[in-house]
Amino acid sequence: MSDYLGKDTFKLGFGLMRLPKTADGDEDIPQVCEMADRFIASGGTYFDTAYVYDDGKSEEAFRLAVADRYPRERYTLCTKLNAWLQCHDEQSAKQQFYTSLERTGAQYFDYYLLHALQRNNYRKYDEYHIWDFVREQQEKGLIRHWGFSFHADPELLRELLAAHPEVEFVQLQLNYADWENPGVASRECWEICRDHGKPVTVMEPVKGGVLANPIPAVQELFRKANPNVSPASWAIRYAASLDNIITVLSGMSSLAQMEDNLSFMKDFQPLSASEQQVIQAAQEALNGDKSIPCTACHYCTSGCPKNIPIPEIFTVHNRKKGSVEFRTRREYTIVTTNRGKASDCIGCAQCEDACPQHLPIISLLKDCVWME
């Protein structure tokens, strides 16, 4: 696509899902302000949040750091309506839109998404008439562009785009680790959007931080190719080098991460042919790794009857390589303090229904019991 919505948008987007925290667990607003300042000063415009992120604190942090401090024309904002979390009927689902307007202070949304459509929830958006509702808000001028974020199989993506050709863009999980992963199908989903003429915003380019600190074999490949850049730079530039991309969202949690991302995205250059070969070698190395591919989105934990910190347990399990056993067990004890353990799982499967990565969480938790 030579010309499309977002073609000239700054290719790094500021994802507000994993903002820095204070010692008390609240958003570190002064640091978020500094991060936003650096982002905007470097040419960044696209901020991404959602009604459900951190129980609304993410949207409020955006207002304090951006909307209250910058004129409206200096930024664009995307947020999301979730018809299957934190709502129980059509009225409460639609109320999310108005609450987000108030929380963010944005006056209107440049981009708006139906949030995290999957096989087990997409009918809720039909049941609650959300597709029509969003179009109505666009007609009122409260939404400029709208679409949906997607965490399911390619066939459902085809069905949704055929049923809703009015959709203007799609948010997809795209990264080099998941490009041919059948559980995510990054390549096929991207190709479907391209073939339907729908531009894409990229989520999870570093796979929840996994590709910012990849397995040693991948780190060595990157170090040999260019010792002066971070592993995260390879992942973000890989996604931004694809065609039909509006922007690549990076969920930055510190000013240092913002500075690193801007160092290679302020004057973005697509990956060269030789760099693409390095990525291919990294993909081959990852194919031989057996780590749990959790992105730490935490959708699995909100309804867990045993309050099991599933992503944190998986992170400890994945990091066991190269670590002595007692340190792994100590880390496990820390993340499960006053919360459920892997062995507490009762197999209710609500976590598997909510997982965007479609992981067999019940079975994987059994594999983690050894750390107890």
Side-chain angles (χ1 to χ4, degrees):
M1 300 172 67
S2 58
D3 195 18
Y4 60 90
L5 171 67
K7 176 181 180 293
D8 297 323
T9 298
F10 191 77
K11 293 307 173 195
L12 177 67
F14 191 171
L16 305 178
M17 184 178 182
R18 298 179 174 91
L19 292 173
K21 303 283 189 177
T22 65
D24 296 329
D26 295 323
E27 271 68 13
D28 185 346
I29 299 302
Q31 187 173 180
V32 177
C33 288
E34 193 170 359
M35 293 168 71
D37 291 345
R38 287 289 295 115
F39 181 66
I40 292 174
S42 298
T45 59
Y46 195 110
F47 292 82
D48 175 271
T49 183
Y51 175 86
V52 300
Y53 286 175
D54 205 6
D55 293 326
K57 294 179 182 178
S58 173
E59 291 185 328
E60 293 170 355
F62 170 82
R63 185 190 75 248
L64 294 171
V66 181
D68 287 352
R69 300 173 63 242
Y70 284 91
R72 188 61 180 83
E73 64 273 13
R74 292 292 302 278
Y75 63 85
T76 60
L77 176 64
C78 177
T79 193
K80 312 173 187 76
L81 185 158
N82 194 306
W84 52 280
L85 281 178
Q86 300 187 18
C87 68
H88 55 274
D89 57 18
E90 182 172 338
Q91 181 178 357
S92 59
K94 292 178 178 178
Q95 180 58 41
Q96 291 183 21
F97 175 83
Y98 303 108
T99 300
S100 291
L101 272 179
E102 181 178 359
R103 282 177 183 166
T104 62
Q107 305 169 48
Y108 62 87
F109 300 120
D110 304 272
Y111 302 90
Y112 198 74
L113 293 168
L114 281 60
H115 194 183
L117 271 64
Q118 303 174 56
R119 281 282 177 189
N120 67 327
N121 65 39
Y122 76 96
R123 295 189 187 280
K124 282 290 184 183
Y125 294 89
D126 295 313
E127 179 183 344
Y128 294 160
H129 307 102
I130 302 302
W131 303 92
D132 293 335
F133 174 74
V134 170
R135 283 197 298 267
E136 291 168 4
Q137 305 315 309
Q138 185 179 40
E139 291 172 359
K140 295 176 183 177
L142 297 177
I143 294 173
R144 296 293 189 262
H145 307 287
W146 69 279
F148 59 86
S149 61
F150 186 76
H151 288 288
D153 57 279
E155 186 55 39
L156 179 59
L157 180 57
R158 290 188 183 92
E159 292 176 12
L160 290 171
L161 290 177
H164 300 283
E166 69 277 14
V167 164
E168 296 175 84
F169 73 111
V170 180
Q171 187 160 303
L172 292 177
Q173 177 174 320
L174 299 180
N175 59 68
Y176 68 81
D178 290 323
W179 193 241
E180 299 294 350
N181 176 1
V184 179
S186 287
R187 175 187 55 76
E188 188 172 358
C189 288
W190 171 77
E191 289 175 349
I192 290 168
C193 288
R194 180 197 61 191
D195 294 345
H196 280 76
K198 308 301 180 185
V200 170
T201 51
V202 177
M203 59 182 162
E204 303 291 357
V206 293
K207 202 171 173 65
V210 171
L211 301 183
N213 185 27
I215 61 174
V218 172
Q219 293 193 42
E220 181 63 13
L221 285 167
F222 291 157
R223 186 192 66 77
K224 287 183 177 179
N226 188 341
N228 299 316
V229 300
S230 65
S233 73
W234 288 90
I236 292 174
R237 287 182 61 221
Y238 173 83
S241 297
L242 296 167
D243 295 333
N244 199 33
I245 300 300
I246 297 174
T247 197
V248 177
L249 302 173
S250 179
M252 294 167 276
S253 302
S254 67
L255 181 60
Q257 290 178 0
M258 175 65 77
E259 295 286 3
D260 178 57
N261 286 351
L262 289 173
S263 72
F264 54 85
M265 290 301 289
K266 183 177 180 180
D267 299 306
F268 166 66
Q269 294 295 321
L271 292 177
S272 66
S274 61
E275 288 174 322
Q276 289 285 4
Q277 291 178 348
V278 175
I279 290 291
Q280 291 173 11
Q283 290 169 324
E284 293 172 1
L286 287 170
N287 288 337
D289 181 60
K290 303 302 181 184
S291 295
I292 301 170
C294 171
T295 67
C297 69
H298 287 88
Y299 292 157
C300 60
T301 59
S302 62
C304 178
K306 294 297 184 179
N307 191 29
I308 301 172
I310 297 168
E312 288 78 9
I313 289 175
F314 288 169
T315 296
V316 172
H317 184 274
N318 285 346
R319 291 177 181 270
K320 69 183 184 298
K321 295 181 179 181
S323 178
V324 295
E325 184 174 314
F326 86 87
R327 285 181 179 149
T328 299
R329 293 183 184 276
R330 181 177 63 192
E331 292 173 7
Y332 178 85
T333 298
I334 291 172
V335 302
T336 57
T337 298
N338 296 323
R339 293 189 284 184
K341 294 179 170 57
S343 60
D344 293 326
C345 176
I346 60 175
C348 68
Q350 73 81 29
C351 55
E352 294 187 354
D353 290 340
C355 179
Q357 311 305 318
H358 312 293
L359 299 178
I361 294 176
I362 296 170
S363 174
L364 291 171
L365 283 174
K366 291 178 180 178
D367 293 340
C368 294
V369 172
W370 70 271
M371 294 185 289
E372 299 175 11

